[in-house]
Amino acid sequence: MSLVDLKAFMALLQQDEIKKLVLSASTADDVALIGKRYGLEFSGDELLRISGQKFDRVTVHKNTIPGEYN
């Protein structure tokens, strides 16, 4: 996992346009693809593994959707 890239992505979330993209994403893999557009490499699984952790002013949360199997 590239913790450096994940931290850089969290810093990018301060920008409204990127924040809107992330909030409209359906899956962690979709969020990872958004990061890739900005040259940052991490997977959806890596993003899910840091759920609950705080980076600067951003806390990562996994959304649980009713009817979803874990």
Side-chain angles (χ1 to χ4, degrees):
M1 168 186 355
S2 175
L3 191 56
V4 173
D5 281 355
L6 278 168
K7 286 181 178 182
F9 185 69
M10 297 306 155
L12 284 177
L13 288 175
Q14 304 305 313
Q15 299 175 26
D16 287 336
E17 66 183 59
I18 298 171
K19 186 176 181 178
K20 286 179 187 177
L21 288 172
V22 169
L23 290 175
S24 67
S26 299
T27 67
D29 288 333
D30 292 339
V31 175
L33 288 173
I34 294 167
K36 192 170 190 167
R37 287 188 223 166
Y38 293 91
L40 303 169
E41 293 287 332
F42 56 90
S43 70
D45 287 338
E46 291 168 333
L47 187 59
L48 290 173
R49 277 190 233 130
I50 63 166
S51 182
Q53 294 185 32
K54 187 171 184 169
F55 296 86
D56 194 21
R57 298 183 317 174
V58 177
T59 303
V60 179
H61 290 284
K62 175 185 176 192
N63 288 339
T64 304
I65 301 169
E68 180 182 75
Y69 295 99
N70 293 317

